[in-house]
Amino acid sequence: MSVGVRWLKFNAVGVLGIAVQLAALQLFAGLLHWNYLVATAAAVETAVLHNFFWHVAWTWRGDPQPLAGRLLRFHLGNGLVSLAANVGLMRLFAGALHMPLMPANLLCIGLAALANFAVSEWWVFAPRRGNAG
């Protein structure tokens, strides 16, 4: 499958992940009244797990690498990029600039998207030595 097709699939999963992250943020910050940075981190983790399993099942379907290794690389790559971007930028946008949580979080998500695809394409799901592909 071409990188272009994977890019489209990656973004389709990402759109679903945005909905998951925003819903989780609303639950954690809005309904449970968690601190917005703690709620952001928990919402990011919820979306990261959601996205990983969709990427395994669809975006990079058929990848022969062990699931545990891909999950670890996904968390070390996409998870850390997402967590750092979202929590750091939420501190700026919602904290310092007093933007409402949902628009601030959408902006954070958008700024992390390209880096997340690059990490997935070239590290998390990249063929490993000794694997056909």
Side-chain angles (χ1 to χ4, degrees):
M1 176 183 322
S2 74
V3 172
V5 171
R6 274 195 302 274
W7 170 249
L8 292 174
K9 287 183 172 188
F10 182 86
N11 284 299
V13 169
V15 168
L16 293 174
I18 290 168
V20 167
Q21 185 169 325
L22 293 176
L25 181 62
Q26 181 59 39
L27 170 68
F28 300 140
L31 296 175
L32 299 177
H33 305 289
W34 292 4
N35 171 278
Y36 76 99
L37 293 176
V38 173
T40 296
V44 167
E45 177 60 18
T46 302
V48 165
L49 288 171
H50 165 273
N51 290 0
F52 173 77
F53 287 107
W54 272 107
H55 289 320
V56 167
W58 189 50
T59 310
W60 283 274
R61 185 178 183 170
D63 185 340
Q65 299 175 69
L67 185 65
R70 288 180 287 166
L71 180 59
L72 178 62
R73 285 191 307 278
F74 196 76
H75 267 89
L76 291 174
N78 292 78
L80 289 177
V81 168
S82 294
L83 191 60
N86 279 270
V87 172
L89 292 171
M90 282 293 280
R91 178 71 184 110
L92 172 65
F93 298 144
L97 299 177
H98 306 290
M99 288 178 65
L101 287 183
M102 294 304 153
N105 199 234
L106 278 170
L107 187 55
C108 295
I109 292 167
L111 292 172
L114 288 173
N116 276 329
F117 179 76
V119 167
S120 288
E121 179 67 17
W122 295 307
W123 187 55
V124 175
F125 295 99
R128 299 283 171 239
R129 290 183 196 160
N131 287 346

